[in-house]
Amino acid sequence: MNEIDAKTDALVPAWLTLPDVAERLGVEVTRVRQLVKEGQLIAVRRGENRVLQVPADFIDEGRVVKGLTGTITLLRDDGFSDEEMLEWLFTPDDTLPGTPARALRENRGTEVKRRAQALAV
C-alpha cells in the first residue's frame, strides 16, 4: 500500500476512507482491510495524514464493482504496481470510451479485461 503521486491522485475523482467503504458495503472495517490484502480492492495512502483510501468508483450499490477484482488480478499479474493500476483504471481510453473504471461501473468488464490482457502481450 503505497502513497501515490499527485498526477495519479488527480485522476481519481473521489476517494473513500476504509470506514466509509465498510459503511457502503455493510461490513466491518476489518473485512475491508481483508479485501485490500487479498487484492480485491486497491487502497493507497494519501493526504497529509497518509490515511488509507479507496477510489469511490470501486464501490457501487453496496458491493465492489463487478469485474474489478479480476481486472486487478490481470494487472497485478502483468507486473503493475497499485499506483500504475490506478493510473490505468482512471486514464481515459478513447476505444472504450471513457476510463476503464467507468466501463466497469457500466458493466462493461469484458471490454476492460480484454484491454488489460492485451497489456501483457
Tab-separated table of all heavy atoms in Angstrom, residues 33-66:
chain	number	residue	atom	x	y	z
A	33	ARG	N	-10.205	-4.235	5.103
A	33	ARG	CA	-8.750	-4.447	5.129
A	33	ARG	C	-8.396	-5.793	4.501
A	33	ARG	O	-7.408	-5.917	3.779
A	33	ARG	CB	-8.210	-4.368	6.553
A	33	ARG	CG	-8.217	-2.977	7.124
A	33	ARG	CD	-7.539	-2.916	8.491
A	33	ARG	NE	-7.663	-1.602	9.067
A	33	ARG	CZ	-6.937	-0.549	8.720
A	33	ARG	NH1	-6.031	-0.667	7.779
A	33	ARG	NH2	-7.114	0.612	9.301
A	34	GLN	N	-9.224	-6.801	4.754
A	34	GLN	CA	-9.010	-8.127	4.181
A	34	GLN	C	-9.168	-8.083	2.655
A	34	GLN	O	-8.385	-8.696	1.930
A	34	GLN	CB	-9.992	-9.143	4.785
A	34	GLN	CG	-9.692	-10.582	4.415
A	34	GLN	CD	-8.378	-11.075	4.985
A	34	GLN	OE1	-7.948	-10.653	6.043
A	34	GLN	NE2	-7.717	-11.957	4.262
A	35	LEU	N	-10.171	-7.359	2.170
A	35	LEU	CA	-10.366	-7.216	0.721
A	35	LEU	C	-9.141	-6.577	0.068
A	35	LEU	O	-8.723	-6.979	-1.027
A	35	LEU	CB	-11.613	-6.378	0.419
A	35	LEU	CG	-12.962	-7.012	0.758
A	35	LEU	CD1	-14.085	-5.991	0.601
A	35	LEU	CD2	-13.227	-8.238	-0.112
A	36	VAL	N	-8.555	-5.589	0.745
A	36	VAL	CA	-7.353	-4.927	0.234
A	36	VAL	C	-6.187	-5.916	0.248
A	36	VAL	O	-5.475	-6.071	-0.750
A	36	VAL	CB	-7.019	-3.666	1.061
A	36	VAL	CG1	-5.657	-3.099	0.672
A	36	VAL	CG2	-8.113	-2.611	0.890
A	37	LYS	N	-6.032	-6.616	1.359
A	37	LYS	CA	-4.940	-7.583	1.495
A	37	LYS	C	-5.043	-8.686	0.443
A	37	LYS	O	-4.033	-9.122	-0.117
A	37	LYS	CB	-4.975	-8.192	2.904
A	37	LYS	CG	-3.816	-9.084	3.229
A	37	LYS	CD	-3.901	-9.583	4.656
A	37	LYS	CE	-2.772	-10.535	4.952
A	37	LYS	NZ	-2.882	-11.099	6.300
A	38	GLU	N	-6.258	-9.118	0.144
A	38	GLU	CA	-6.480	-10.184	-0.837
A	38	GLU	C	-6.389	-9.688	-2.276
A	38	GLU	O	-6.484	-10.479	-3.211
A	38	GLU	CB	-7.868	-10.814	-0.620
A	38	GLU	CG	-7.995	-11.575	0.667
A	38	GLU	CD	-9.432	-11.988	0.975
A	38	GLU	OE1	-10.360	-11.578	0.230
A	38	GLU	OE2	-9.630	-12.704	1.962
A	39	GLY	N	-6.246	-8.372	-2.460
A	39	GLY	CA	-6.125	-7.824	-3.808
A	39	GLY	C	-7.449	-7.606	-4.509
A	39	GLY	O	-7.490	-7.449	-5.729
A	40	GLN	N	-8.539	-7.580	-3.747
A	40	GLN	CA	-9.845	-7.339	-4.353
A	40	GLN	C	-10.165	-5.853	-4.450
A	40	GLN	O	-11.051	-5.447	-5.195
A	40	GLN	CB	-10.927	-8.073	-3.564
A	40	GLN	CG	-10.765	-9.584	-3.622
A	40	GLN	CD	-11.868	-10.294	-2.872
A	40	GLN	OE1	-13.038	-9.957	-3.029
A	40	GLN	NE2	-11.501	-11.272	-2.066
A	41	LEU	N	-9.454	-5.059	-3.687
A	41	LEU	CA	-9.563	-3.597	-3.716
A	41	LEU	C	-8.158	-3.014	-3.674
A	41	LEU	O	-7.251	-3.643	-3.126
A	41	LEU	CB	-10.329	-3.076	-2.497
A	41	LEU	CG	-11.841	-3.131	-2.489
A	41	LEU	CD1	-12.375	-2.652	-1.143
A	41	LEU	CD2	-12.423	-2.285	-3.610
A	42	ILE	N	-8.004	-1.814	-4.211
A	42	ILE	CA	-6.738	-1.091	-4.114
A	42	ILE	C	-6.940	0.052	-3.123
A	42	ILE	O	-7.873	0.841	-3.266
A	42	ILE	CB	-6.316	-0.504	-5.476
A	42	ILE	CG1	-6.136	-1.612	-6.504
A	42	ILE	CG2	-5.031	0.309	-5.328
A	42	ILE	CD1	-5.949	-1.094	-7.923
A	43	ALA	N	-6.076	0.115	-2.126
A	43	ALA	CA	-6.093	1.218	-1.170
A	43	ALA	C	-4.700	1.826	-1.143
A	43	ALA	O	-3.698	1.101	-1.147
A	43	ALA	CB	-6.476	0.726	0.222
A	44	VAL	N	-4.644	3.149	-1.143
A	44	VAL	CA	-3.362	3.844	-1.104
A	44	VAL	C	-3.402	4.920	-0.025
A	44	VAL	O	-4.469	5.385	0.354
A	44	VAL	CB	-3.008	4.476	-2.469
A	44	VAL	CG1	-2.740	3.408	-3.509
A	44	VAL	CG2	-4.086	5.417	-2.936
A	45	ARG	N	-2.215	5.282	0.433
A	45	ARG	CA	-2.114	6.347	1.431
A	45	ARG	C	-2.070	7.676	0.710
A	45	ARG	O	-1.329	7.853	-0.245
A	45	ARG	CB	-0.855	6.158	2.272
A	45	ARG	CG	-0.914	4.863	3.067
A	45	ARG	CD	0.074	4.852	4.204
A	45	ARG	NE	-0.040	3.601	4.943
A	45	ARG	CZ	-0.949	3.355	5.867
A	45	ARG	NH1	-1.832	4.287	6.182
A	45	ARG	NH2	-0.993	2.190	6.488
A	46	ARG	N	-2.905	8.598	1.183
A	46	ARG	CA	-2.938	9.912	0.548
A	46	ARG	C	-3.233	10.990	1.576
A	46	ARG	O	-3.669	10.703	2.680
A	46	ARG	CB	-3.930	9.972	-0.606
A	46	ARG	CG	-5.241	9.340	-0.434
A	46	ARG	CD	-6.111	9.377	-1.679
A	46	ARG	NE	-6.200	10.667	-2.319
A	46	ARG	CZ	-7.047	11.631	-1.956
A	46	ARG	NH1	-7.884	11.453	-0.961
A	46	ARG	NH2	-7.056	12.783	-2.601
A	47	GLY	N	-2.964	12.219	1.180
A	47	GLY	CA	-3.216	13.362	2.048
A	47	GLY	C	-2.135	13.538	3.092
A	47	GLY	O	-1.216	12.729	3.215
A	48	GLU	N	-2.281	14.611	3.851
A	48	GLU	CA	-1.293	14.929	4.886
A	48	GLU	C	-1.212	13.849	5.953
A	48	GLU	O	-0.156	13.576	6.492
A	48	GLU	CB	-1.635	16.272	5.541
A	48	GLU	CG	-1.394	17.456	4.647
A	48	GLU	CD	-1.776	18.755	5.325
A	48	GLU	OE1	-1.838	18.793	6.565
A	48	GLU	OE2	-2.010	19.732	4.594
A	49	ASN	N	-2.344	13.240	6.261
A	49	ASN	CA	-2.374	12.232	7.317
A	49	ASN	C	-2.021	10.838	6.817
A	49	ASN	O	-1.977	9.899	7.595
A	49	ASN	CB	-3.758	12.198	7.971
A	49	ASN	CG	-4.105	13.505	8.630
A	49	ASN	OD1	-3.221	14.223	9.080
A	49	ASN	ND2	-5.381	13.839	8.690
A	50	ARG	N	-1.815	10.716	5.506
A	50	ARG	CA	-1.470	9.438	4.878
A	50	ARG	C	-2.476	8.347	5.246
A	50	ARG	O	-2.134	7.221	5.545
A	50	ARG	CB	-0.040	9.029	5.244
A	50	ARG	CG	0.997	10.058	4.761
A	50	ARG	CD	2.415	9.562	4.827
A	50	ARG	NE	2.581	8.414	3.942
A	50	ARG	CZ	3.038	7.217	4.362
A	50	ARG	NH1	3.364	7.030	5.604
A	50	ARG	NH2	3.167	6.221	3.520
A	51	VAL	N	-3.739	8.711	5.197
A	51	VAL	CA	-4.830	7.788	5.518
A	51	VAL	C	-5.075	6.869	4.324
A	51	VAL	O	-5.074	7.322	3.181
A	51	VAL	CB	-6.117	8.587	5.847
A	51	VAL	CG1	-7.303	7.671	6.066
A	51	VAL	CG2	-5.892	9.478	7.054
A	52	LEU	N	-5.276	5.584	4.596
A	52	LEU	CA	-5.596	4.645	3.521
A	52	LEU	C	-6.947	4.994	2.923
A	52	LEU	O	-7.923	5.186	3.650
A	52	LEU	CB	-5.655	3.211	4.066
A	52	LEU	CG	-4.347	2.462	4.126
A	52	LEU	CD1	-4.574	1.090	4.758
A	52	LEU	CD2	-3.711	2.305	2.764
A	53	GLN	N	-6.980	5.081	1.591
A	53	GLN	CA	-8.224	5.412	0.904
A	53	GLN	C	-8.380	4.574	-0.352
A	53	GLN	O	-7.394	4.126	-0.947
A	53	GLN	CB	-8.274	6.896	0.572
A	53	GLN	CG	-8.305	7.757	1.836
A	53	GLN	CD	-8.492	9.214	1.538
A	53	GLN	OE1	-9.091	9.590	0.539
A	53	GLN	NE2	-7.992	10.064	2.413
A	54	VAL	N	-9.627	4.378	-0.747
A	54	VAL	CA	-10.007	3.578	-1.903
A	54	VAL	C	-10.773	4.502	-2.858
A	54	VAL	O	-11.596	5.303	-2.404
A	54	VAL	CB	-10.927	2.407	-1.455
A	54	VAL	CG1	-11.502	1.649	-2.632
A	54	VAL	CG2	-10.182	1.474	-0.508
A	55	PRO	N	-10.552	4.378	-4.177
A	55	PRO	CA	-11.359	5.182	-5.104
A	55	PRO	C	-12.855	4.881	-4.923
A	55	PRO	O	-13.265	3.719	-4.862
A	55	PRO	CB	-10.877	4.729	-6.487
A	55	PRO	CG	-9.467	4.280	-6.245
A	55	PRO	CD	-9.517	3.622	-4.891
A	56	ALA	N	-13.664	5.928	-4.820
A	56	ALA	CA	-15.104	5.763	-4.619
A	56	ALA	C	-15.751	4.990	-5.767
A	56	ALA	O	-16.731	4.271	-5.562
A	56	ALA	CB	-15.765	7.136	-4.465
A	57	ASP	N	-15.189	5.102	-6.962
A	57	ASP	CA	-15.756	4.397	-8.121
A	57	ASP	C	-15.658	2.879	-8.006
A	57	ASP	O	-16.254	2.165	-8.814
A	57	ASP	CB	-15.070	4.849	-9.421
A	57	ASP	CG	-15.590	6.180	-9.919
A	57	ASP	OD1	-16.617	6.660	-9.395
A	57	ASP	OD2	-14.977	6.752	-10.842
A	58	PHE	N	-14.901	2.384	-7.050
A	58	PHE	CA	-14.775	0.926	-6.878
A	58	PHE	C	-15.952	0.321	-6.118
A	58	PHE	O	-16.093	-0.893	-6.071
A	58	PHE	CB	-13.479	0.573	-6.147
A	58	PHE	CG	-12.233	0.794	-6.955
A	58	PHE	CD1	-10.989	0.605	-6.378
A	58	PHE	CD2	-12.274	1.184	-8.291
A	58	PHE	CE1	-9.827	0.781	-7.108
A	58	PHE	CE2	-11.107	1.374	-9.026
A	58	PHE	CZ	-9.878	1.166	-8.429
A	59	ILE	N	-16.788	1.175	-5.510
A	59	ILE	CA	-17.924	0.697	-4.725
A	59	ILE	C	-19.201	1.192	-5.390
A	59	ILE	O	-19.336	2.370	-5.693
A	59	ILE	CB	-17.865	1.222	-3.269
A	59	ILE	CG1	-16.491	0.952	-2.642
A	59	ILE	CG2	-18.989	0.636	-2.428
A	59	ILE	CD1	-16.090	-0.507	-2.574
A	60	ASP	N	-20.146	0.265	-5.612
A	60	ASP	CA	-21.390	0.639	-6.276
A	60	ASP	C	-22.540	-0.170	-5.691
A	60	ASP	O	-22.489	-1.400	-5.683
A	60	ASP	CB	-21.274	0.374	-7.789
A	60	ASP	CG	-22.462	0.903	-8.565
A	60	ASP	OD1	-23.010	1.951	-8.180
A	60	ASP	OD2	-22.839	0.261	-9.564
A	61	GLU	N	-23.540	0.532	-5.194
A	61	GLU	CA	-24.753	-0.097	-4.671
A	61	GLU	C	-24.463	-1.221	-3.673
A	61	GLU	O	-24.968	-2.337	-3.790
A	61	GLU	CB	-25.618	-0.608	-5.825
A	61	GLU	CG	-26.098	0.513	-6.718
A	61	GLU	CD	-26.934	0.026	-7.890
A	61	GLU	OE1	-27.304	-1.163	-7.915
A	61	GLU	OE2	-27.216	0.846	-8.768
A	62	GLY	N	-23.594	-0.915	-2.708
A	62	GLY	CA	-23.349	-1.848	-1.619
A	62	GLY	C	-22.445	-3.019	-1.937
A	62	GLY	O	-22.406	-4.004	-1.203
A	63	ARG	N	-21.699	-2.927	-3.033
A	63	ARG	CA	-20.781	-4.014	-3.373
A	63	ARG	C	-19.579	-3.463	-4.139
A	63	ARG	O	-19.619	-2.350	-4.667
A	63	ARG	CB	-21.483	-5.086	-4.198
A	63	ARG	CG	-21.993	-4.608	-5.533
A	63	ARG	CD	-22.698	-5.703	-6.317
A	63	ARG	NE	-23.296	-5.206	-7.534
A	63	ARG	CZ	-22.629	-4.960	-8.658
A	63	ARG	NH1	-21.341	-5.145	-8.721
A	63	ARG	NH2	-23.264	-4.502	-9.717
A	64	VAL	N	-18.525	-4.299	-4.202
A	64	VAL	CA	-17.371	-3.948	-5.027
A	64	VAL	C	-17.827	-4.067	-6.476
A	64	VAL	O	-18.539	-5.004	-6.840
A	64	VAL	CB	-16.190	-4.911	-4.744
A	64	VAL	CG1	-15.037	-4.638	-5.690
A	64	VAL	CG2	-15.731	-4.777	-3.293
A	65	VAL	N	-17.461	-3.107	-7.311
A	65	VAL	CA	-17.873	-3.089	-8.711
A	65	VAL	C	-17.516	-4.413	-9.387
A	65	VAL	O	-16.399	-4.911	-9.256
A	65	VAL	CB	-17.207	-1.896	-9.449
A	65	VAL	CG1	-17.407	-1.976	-10.941
A	65	VAL	CG2	-17.747	-0.594	-8.908
A	66	LYS	N	-18.500	-4.959	-10.085
A	66	LYS	CA	-18.322	-6.235	-10.783
A	66	LYS	C	-17.167	-6.123	-11.781
A	66	LYS	O	-17.080	-5.166	-12.538
A	66	LYS	CB	-19.614	-6.597	-11.516
A	66	LYS	CG	-19.579	-7.924	-12.212
A	66	LYS	CD	-20.888	-8.187	-12.924
A	66	LYS	CE	-20.792	-9.465	-13.734
A	66	LYS	NZ	-21.957	-9.637	-14.594
